[in-house]
């Protein structure tokens, strides 16, 4: 069931990528513009996701015919129980995207990395210090590299 949900989400993502890359500006009058490669990747992603969705639907139909005793509520509870960390990480990622607009890239990235590592990994004092220092060093290094060397602007928030 989880694979079917992921396949449907990837199909939606590939449609969004394909439709959004039409607006990318073209650098010259060539036949391939800036959106050609992302559209190609989106088509491949959508096709493979469709194959996965069909395959998992067939598996689920066969399993349903063999096992009619479990209800949909029990199956959903099982999925939530089995994939709890995935759902928590997705929620944190969504909050991170929202926090970038408010707090800026540096602060929200450091907070996201620390909280995600604490949710997924061990919560010992040593791991908290290690994760915190890695989050700060990695975020600041990436920020200064992209800002100064590649001259890429990051979202600024209230603090940075």
């Amino acid at each position: 069931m989880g694979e079917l949900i992921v396949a449907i989400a990837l199909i939606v993502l590939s449609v969004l990528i394909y439709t959004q890359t039409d607006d990318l500006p073209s650098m010259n009058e060539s036949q391939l513009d800036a959106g050609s490669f992302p559209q190609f990747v989106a088509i491949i992603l959508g096709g493979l996701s469709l194959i996965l969705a069909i395959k998992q639907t067939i598996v689920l139909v066969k399993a349903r015919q063999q096992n009619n005793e479990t209800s949909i509520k029990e199956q959903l509870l099982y999925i939530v129980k089995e994939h709890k960390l995935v759902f928590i990480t997705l929620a944190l990622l969504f909050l991170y995207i929202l926090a970038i607009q408010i707090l800026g890239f540096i602060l929200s990235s450091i907070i996201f990395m620390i909280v995600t590592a604490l949710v997924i990994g061990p919560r010992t004092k040593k791991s908290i210090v290690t994760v915190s220092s890695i989050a700060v060093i990695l975020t600041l290094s990436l920020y200064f590299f992209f800002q100064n060397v590649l001259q890429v602007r990051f979202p600024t928030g209230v603090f940075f």
Side-chain angles (χ1 to χ4, degrees), residues 44-60:
I44 291 176
L45 178 66
L48 291 174
S49 300
L50 185 63
I51 292 170
L52 178 63
I54 292 170
K55 180 181 169 188
Q56 290 303 317
T57 303
I58 293 170
V59 168
L60 283 175

Side-chain angles (χ1 to χ4, degrees), residues 7-22 24 34-51:
I8 292 170
L10 287 175
I11 290 171
V12 170
L13 178 67
S14 64
V15 168
L16 286 173
I17 291 172
Y18 187 84
T19 57
Q20 294 298 317
T21 54
D22 279 341
L24 292 176
S36 297
F37 182 71
Q39 287 178 338
F40 176 70
V41 171
I43 290 170
I44 291 176
L45 178 66
L48 291 174
S49 300
L50 185 63
I51 292 170

Side-chain angles (χ1 to χ4, degrees), residues 95-112 139 143 153-160:
L95 290 173
Y96 170 65
I97 292 170
L98 294 176
I100 283 180
Q101 303 302 322
I102 299 167
L103 301 176
F105 174 77
I106 295 175
L107 193 59
S108 59
S109 295
I110 292 170
I111 292 170
F112 172 73
T139 302
Y143 179 79
R153 300 302 243 174
F154 283 99
T156 56
V158 176
F159 300 108
F160 297 103

Side-chain angles (χ1 to χ4, degrees), residues 125-139:
K125 187 175 182 179
K126 183 178 178 182
S127 68
I128 292 171
V129 171
T130 305
V131 165
S132 299
S133 59
I134 289 173
V136 170
I137 292 169
L138 183 65
T139 302

